[in-house]
Amino acid sequence: MNIPEIDDRTRLTCDVLVIGGGTAGTMAALTAAEAGADVLLLDKSHVRHSGALAMGMDGVNNAVIPGKAEPEDYVAEITRANDGIVNQRTVYQTATRGFAMIQRLERYGVKFEKDEYGEYAVRRVHRSGSYVLPMPEGKDVKKALYRVLRQKKMRERIRIENRVMPVRVLTTGSGSDRRAVGAVAFNTRTGEFIEIAAGAVVLATGPCGRLGLPASGYLYGTYENPANAGDGYAMAFHAGAELSGIECFQINPLIKDYNGPACAYVANPFGGYQVNAQGERFVDSDYWSGQMIAEVKSEIDSARGPIYLKVSHLPDETLGELESILHTTERPTRGTFHAGRGHDYRTHDIEMHVSEIGLCGGHSASGVWVDENARTTVPGLYAAGDLACVPHNYMIGAFVFGELAGADAVRHARSVAPAPEDLGGQIAAAHELIYGAARRPTVRRSPRSSTSCGAS
Ligand SMILES: Cc1cc2nc3c(=O)[nH]c(=O)nc-3n(C[C@H](O)[C@H](O)[C@H](O)COP(=O)(O)OP(=O)(O)OC[C@H]3O[C@@H](n4cnc5c(N)ncnc54)[C@H](O)[C@@H]3O)c2cc1C
């Protein structure tokens, strides 16, 4: 790779810069564009198939549908599941705006399960309330969103740059006057160095899914989309934004030896449940709370392990329905994995294990602190989706906070003047961060010699 000179950088400008074109990022971009802003949407991958959505959703985990559940009950449930460590104002936003978001998604062509009376067919998974809404065609959500992004009126407002990966948010001012004014990035294919000047910056780079090795020992074999490597946490931190709930990180109870969820969320409403090797139920909560993970871990470590998601007692018709969700939408390789071991849900329950740890708002409670408008503690810098600390926010929460971030970012961008300062120092530091390693000579060491323990 030729290392570009700092002065040879490409300069881009926009009203609202959105970093990450997954669930939250596409919604932020669409919302900001609808409000009349010029939007630049960057993704280190390709927006058409990037992020968690492209891996397929089996249902909405957290829909508060009027007449089926109350926002206050949902907030209480999430507060309990997180041992009280939540900013309830943010959770309330998801609870009260989630239904309008479902309707917005329906207008985009996304399908949600309805019963014979045309009512949303919500199912119960949490200890109280029914919030899980199956999506029969959940594998197509990203396709539907991408279609909207590429409509003529959106193309005129939203410029998409794929394979462009920002590494630092640019800021101006200091102390309480500090604000976000852009980012520095590079093209992961060509090495091009890029500076972006923006009125506001939305970080939507997903969770930190590769914080530790998954149980398989294969770094990319993660439950989370492996492209979501925690870049947004680093960018927010270096811009001066507060991070929160980092100790409330995520550990997933997954299928043993397979990088997919056992999917209690899907199986439990059908009658599945977690058991130990003696066939006894042991989790008080079937929901991914800290309490549940502690119960799972101590059961596996005890003489009563291993543990299973019990499904073999279910009728054939139900298992067929489960297979059609779990072996297609959620993870197409899952059926092959079970078949390879000679396992069938009719005869074998699904062995589970605790797998990778990671930071995530969606499935746990750690992330960049945001208020109820997705603002971080740095003015002009927003965070949405799994990156933001809005506990158990999942897909609908990512959409809701993407929408909130997009709308507020436009208001902010219109209220500020262009960055007055020379940002040369920050740009030079980002240049060194990106290209510094390429300048250093490559030292090839065998893993054995580099870990020698000096037994001479
Ligand atoms: C396997 C799986 C199944 C799930 N199933 C469900 C479900 O059935 N129901 C439900 O409600 N929720 C589900 N969830 C949770 C839900 O999908 C997430 O909470 C939500 O999609 C997160 O959205 P996001 O925008 O934060 O992240 P993503 O949609 O993953 O988007 C992050 C984007 O950022 C990009 N990116 C990362 N770093 C950079 C960088 N430095 N520069 C540029 N771009 C970058 C990535 O390429 C990606 O496009 C599931 C999650 C997973 C992983």
Side-chain angles (χ1 to χ4, degrees), residues 18-26 42-47 49-62 133 135 142 161 163-167 204-207 222-225 227-232 235 259-261 263 265-266 329-331 360-363 384-388 393-399:
V18 180
I19 304 178
T23 314
T26 47
L42 305 180
D43 202 290
K44 68 178 359 176
S45 176
H46 193 299
V47 173
H49 41 63
S50 68
L53 281 185
M55 298 161 87
M57 299 287 109
D58 41 58
V60 171
N61 290 350
N62 54 346
L133 177 59
M135 294 167 71
K142 194 68 196 276
E161 290 292 339
R163 321 280 181 209
V164 171
M165 176 176 161
V167 297
T205 52
T222 47
Y223 165 75
E224 298 293 1
N225 170 9
N228 292 337
D231 314 4
M235 283 190 268
N259 69 333
C263 270
Y265 254 110
V266 179
T329 308
E330 186 73 40
R331 279 287 198 283
C360 185
H363 279 99
D386 284 352
L387 172 68
N393 220 18
Y394 305 108
M395 174 179 51
I396 282 298
F399 278 132

